[in-house]
Amino acid sequence: MRISSYLAVALLEASAALAAPSLEATRVEARTSKHASKRPHHPVAPKHCGRPFPSSPDRKKVCYVNSHGHGKDDSDYILKAIKDCNNGGHVVFSEDTKYTIGTALDLTFLKHIDLDIQGTIQFTNDTDYWQANAFKQIFQNATTFFQLGGTDVNVYGGGTIDGNGQVWYDLYAKDIYTLRPILFGTIGLHGGVISDLKLRYSPQYYNFVANSTDVVFSNIDIAGASVSTNIAKNTDGWDTYRSSNIVIQNSNINNGDDCVSFKPNSTQIVVQNLVCNGSHGISVGSLGQYIGQVDIVKDIYVYNISMSNASDGARIKVWPGISSALSGDLQGGGGSGAVSNITYDTMSIANVDYAIEITQCYGQKNLTLCNQFPSNLTISDVSMRNFKGVTSTKFDPIVGYLVCSSPTVCSNINLENIDIVSPSGTNLYTCGSIEGIENEVNCTTVNKGGN
Ligand SMILES: *[C@@H]1O[C@H](CO)[C@@H](O)[C@H](O)[C@H]1NC(C)=O
Ligand SMILES: *[C@@H]1O[C@H](CO)[C@@H](O)[C@H](O)[C@H]1NC(C)=O
Ligand SMILES: *[C@@H]1O[C@H](CO)[C@@H](O)[C@H](O)[C@H]1NC(C)=O
Ligand SMILES: *[C@@H]1O[C@H](CO)[C@@H](O)[C@H](O)[C@H]1NC(C)=O
Ligand SMILES: *[C@@H]1O[C@H](CO)[C@@H](O)[C@H](O)[C@H]1NC(C)=O
Ligand SMILES: *[C@@H]1O[C@H](CO)[C@@H](O)[C@H](O)[C@H]1NC(C)=O
Ligand SMILES: *[C@@H]1O[C@H](CO)[C@@H](O)[C@H](O)[C@H]1NC(C)=O
Ligand SMILES: *[C@@H]1O[C@H](CO)[C@@H](O)[C@H](O)[C@H]1NC(C)=O
Ligand SMILES: *[C@@H]1O[C@H](CO)[C@@H](O)[C@H](O)[C@H]1NC(C)=O
Ligand SMILES: *[C@@H]1O[C@H](CO)[C@@H](O)[C@H](O)[C@H]1NC(C)=O
Ligand SMILES: *[C@@H]1O[C@H](CO)[C@@H](O)[C@H](O)[C@H]1NC(C)=O
C-alpha cells in the first residue's frame, strides 16, 4: 500500500494549530492550501428547543486528507485521516482540492472529532455501485452515500459536498424504483454542529437526520437542479426521523421538495431563519403511512421563514384511516400516532400555491371516503401565526387548505394574524372537519365531517 507516503498526518500542538491567529497570519495561511480552519461559533438563536446542547472540547491534533486526483476514489485516504484523528482531532479536507468518494463510508464510530471541509467532495456517478452499497436506512427505502454518527462531531469549513445528481435524475425518470442515495446521512449522531457547507446536486434528499440527538445545522447552502428535462425529484432539504433536540437555522435552500420535513418521531425541533425557494414547504409528515406503526411528531417550532416559488408554506400531511395508492412507490394510510404542539411563527410567502395546508386526507382524493375512515393519527395544539404574503395563481381564489378527516381527531388548531392574499386579492380557504376554523379564516366550503 502506498497510503502512508501519500498521507500527510500532521501532529501539531493544539495551541499552534487552533488558537486564533493574528489577522496577518490568517491572511498568509489562507493563501496556502493546507491550514486548519478555526472552529466557527454558531449560537442557537433566537428560539431554542428548551434543552441545552453538550459542549465540545477543543481538538488537539490535525490530520490532512490527501487526494489521488483525477477522479480516483479517495475513500482510503479519508478513512485513514478520520481514524488517525478520531478521539480528539481535526481532519482537514484542503482548500482547492477535489476529493472523490466512490465507496460507501460508515462513519458512525466518530467521537470528539472535527471535519473541516474546505475543498470539494464529490461522489462518483457509478449508480450500480451505489444502489448495491449505499447504506439502507429502512425508512421509505432511503439510502445514504455515507453515514455520519457517534458523539461530539463538528463539520464545517466552507467547502462543497456534491452528489453528482444528474445521472440519478435521468435514471429515476426511467425507473422509479432506482435507489437514489441521500447526500448527507446524519445517522445516530449525539451532539454536533454541522455548518458552513454548500450541498449540491443530491440524487435525493440533501439531509437525512435519523436516530440523532442534540445536533445543530447552521449556515448550510443547498442548491442543484437538473439540466435535462428530468427534474430533480424528492430533493428535500432536511428530513428528520427518530430524532430530538435538533436545530436547523440560518440557511438557504433551493430545491424541489420539502424544504424541511419532520418524519416519524421527530421531537423538540427548532427550524429558524431559513430562505426556501422552489420547495414544497416546511412539512410535518407525511405520517400514518404504514398500518401498525405509531408516528409521533411533537414540540416543533418553526420561526422566521421566507418561502417562495413553492407548493406550500406551512404543511401538515397525515394519511387517512384507509389506505390508498398515490403511485407505485408511494402508497399508504391507516397508521396511528399523534401530531402535537406544533408552532409556525412568522412566515413570509411569495408565489406559493397554498400558504397553509393541513390535511388528514393525504393520498386520498375522495373526501367522502376519508371522512368515512378518520385518521388514526390525531392532530392537536397547532398554532400558525404571523403569516404574510401573496400566493400563486394556482388555486386562486383559494389561498389555503384546512381539511381534517373528522373533528374528533383534530383539536385546538389556531390561526392568528394571517395576512395572506391571492394574486386576485381574495383570502379564501378550503375547510373541513376542523372545529371553529370558520371563525379564524374565511372558508369557502365548510365540511363538518361525518357523513
Ligand atoms: C460520470 O462521471 C465522469 C467523471 O466526472 C464523467 O466523465 C462521465 O461522463 C459521467 N458519466 C455519466 C453517465 O454521467
Ligand atoms: C435507528 O435505530 C434503530 C434501533 O436501534 C435501528 O433499528 C434503525 O435501523 C436505526 N436507523 C434508522 C434510520 O432508523
Ligand atoms: C420500496 O421498494 C420496493 C421495491 O423496490 C417497493 O415495492 C416499495 O413500494 C418501496 N417503498 C417505498 C415506501 O417507496
Ligand atoms: C415512535 O415512537 C412511538 C412511541 O414511542 C413508538 O411506538 C414507535 O415504534 C416509534 N417509531 C419509530 C419508527 O421509531
Ligand atoms: C429572519 O431571517 C432572516 C434570514 O432569512 C434574517 O436576515 C433575519 O435577521 C431573521 N430575523 C430574526 C428576527 O431573527
Ligand atoms: C428560485 O427558484 C426558481 C425556480 O423555481 C429559480 O428560477 C430562481 O432562480 C430561484 N431563485 C434564487 C434566488 O435562487
Ligand atoms: C412545545 O414545543 C416547544 C418547542 O419545542 C417547547 O418549547 C414547549 O415547551 C412545548 N410545550 C409543551 C407544553 O410541551
Ligand atoms: C421565484 O422564481 C422566479 C422564477 O420563476 C425568480 O425570478 C424569483 O427570483 C424567485 N423568487 C425568489 C425569492 O427566489
Ligand atoms: C367516494 O367514496 C364514496 C364512498 O365510498 C363513494 O360512494 C363515491 O363513489 C366515491 N367517489 C368517487 C368520485 O370515487
Ligand atoms: C384506524 O381507523 C380505521 C377507520 O377510521 C379503523 O377502522 C381502524 O380500526 C383504526 N385502526 C387502528 C389501529 O386504530
Ligand atoms: C374574511 O375576509 C374579510 C375581508 O378580507 C376580512 O376582513 C376578515 O378579517 C376575514 N375573516 C377572517 C376570520 O379572517
Side-chain angles (χ1 to χ4, degrees):
M1 294 282 279
R2 296 194 299 166
I3 287 179
S4 55
S5 63
Y6 274 95
L7 196 82
V9 178
L11 305 181
L12 300 180
E13 287 298 319
S15 53
L18 301 170
S22 72
L23 259 181
E24 189 51 36
T26 308
R27 242 179 270 127
V28 173
E29 278 189 340
R31 268 187 243 116
T32 68
S33 61
K34 281 195 175 183
H35 65 282
S37 311
K38 187 171 185 285
R39 186 196 290 168
H41 180 52
H42 287 285
V44 170
K47 305 295 177 188
H48 306 264
C49 302
R51 206 164 93 194
F53 287 88
S55 66
S56 180
D58 284 345
R59 308 309 185 210
K60 304 210 176 299
K61 176 177 173 179
V62 176
C63 304
Y64 291 95
V65 183
N66 215 330
S67 154
H68 295 286
H70 312 291
K72 276 188 67 186
D73 186 8
D74 292 315
S75 300
D76 50 356
Y77 285 153
I78 294 170
L79 259 186
K80 174 108 176 38
I82 287 177
K83 283 180 176 162
D84 286 346
C85 250
N86 205 19
N87 289 300
H90 179 152
V91 174
V92 178
F93 293 76
S94 300
E95 211 181 348
D96 305 325
T97 302
K98 184 169 167 184
Y99 298 89
T100 299
I101 298 184
T103 305
L105 295 178
D106 186 358
L107 306 177
T108 50
F109 59 87
L110 302 184
K111 221 173 191 170
H112 308 299
I113 188 169
D114 284 14
L115 304 181
D116 179 0
I117 302 172
Q118 301 168 18
T120 295
I121 296 174
Q122 188 181 52
F123 291 89
T124 58
N125 57 15
D126 184 346
T127 55
D128 291 336
Y129 171 81
W130 290 112
Q131 290 200 76
N133 294 284
F135 296 99
K136 293 192 164 52
Q137 304 297 349
I138 320 294
F139 179 70
Q140 288 191 344
N141 290 344
T143 68
T144 58
F145 278 127
F146 62 92
Q147 41 188 12
L148 183 146
T151 49
D152 179 20
V153 179
N154 301 300
V155 186
Y156 50 86
T160 299
I161 303 180
D162 179 345
N164 218 340
Q166 190 61 48
V167 62
W168 295 98
Y169 312 147
D170 294 334
L171 196 60
Y172 183 72
K174 284 190 219 130
D175 177 8
I176 58 166
Y177 296 107
T178 302
L179 290 174
R180 296 161 294 161
I182 287 162
L183 184 59
F184 201 116
T186 302
I187 313 293
L189 177 61
H190 304 287
V193 180
I194 295 162
S195 65
D196 306 339
L197 293 175
K198 297 181 192 70
L199 304 184
R200 297 288 181 264
Y201 306 105
S202 181
Q204 215 197 156
Y205 317 159
Y206 279 86
N207 287 279
F208 185 51
V209 183
N211 286 354
S212 296
T213 55
D214 308 325
V215 180
V216 177
F217 292 86
S218 200
N219 190 28
I220 304 292
D221 183 278
I222 289 177
S226 174
V227 296
S228 74
T229 52
N230 303 315
I231 60 171
K233 284 200 175 156
N234 311 112
T235 49
D236 302 28
W238 281 265
D239 275 30
T240 61
Y241 179 66
R242 296 176 124 167
S243 294
S244 73
N245 205 29
I246 307 294
V247 173
I248 298 168
Q249 64 177 15
N250 307 338
S251 295
N252 251 293
I253 301 94
N254 260 284
N255 70 339
D257 206 311
D258 295 327
C259 189
V260 179
S261 181
F262 310 105
K263 301 298 189 196
N265 298 11
S266 294
T267 59
Q268 287 190 296
I269 298 186
V270 165
V271 172
Q272 59 193 348
N273 303 351
L274 302 191
V275 178
C276 307
N277 176 43
S279 81
H280 292 178
I282 310 265
S283 303
V284 171
S286 69
L287 301 175
Q289 187 169 359
Y290 305 108
I291 291 171
Q293 289 195 12
V294 182
D295 297 342
I296 308 290
V297 172
K298 63 173 183 178
D299 305 333
I300 307 281
Y301 207 106
V302 179
Y303 177 70
N304 186 29
I305 307 295
S306 155
M307 182 70 66
S308 51
N309 297 315
S311 67
D312 293 86
R315 172 153 81 153
I316 298 177
K317 42 182 180 174
V318 167
W319 294 78
I322 186 170
S323 71
S324 65
L326 277 182
S327 65
D329 61 345
L330 187 59
Q331 43 196 289
S336 62
V339 170
S340 65
N341 187 25
I342 312 290
T343 302
Y344 285 87
D345 175 2
T346 309
M347 184 179 289
S348 76
I349 66 149
N351 193 30
V352 170
D353 300 341
Y354 281 140
I356 300 174
E357 179 176 3
I358 297 176
T359 179
Q360 235 178 5
C361 299
Y362 188 68
Q364 182 53 260
K365 290 201 173 71
N366 187 335
L367 290 191
T368 310
L369 204 56
C370 177
N371 292 334
Q372 244 168 34
F373 298 95
S375 179
N376 304 100
L377 207 144
T378 59
I379 301 179
S380 60
D381 303 320
V382 174
S383 168
M384 304 221 177
R385 50 182 189 258
N386 309 322
F387 279 50
K388 63 172 199 289
V390 182
T391 59
S392 73
T393 54
K394 184 163 183 183
F395 300 118
D396 192 343
I398 309 289
V399 300
Y401 186 91
L402 306 166
V403 175
C404 280
S405 54
S406 160
T408 61
V409 290
C410 260
S411 61
N412 197 19
I413 294 178
N414 296 299
L415 277 67
E416 231 182 301
N417 189 24
I418 306 290
D419 179 14
I420 294 291
V421 292
S422 69
S424 68
T426 57
N427 60 2
L428 296 170
Y429 294 77
T430 302
C431 305
S433 307
I434 301 177
E435 222 168 76
I437 197 71
E438 65 277 13
N439 304 321
E440 298 180 7
V441 294
N442 286 311
C443 298
T444 49
T445 48
V446 184
N447 176 347
K448 301 270 186 197
N451 300 301

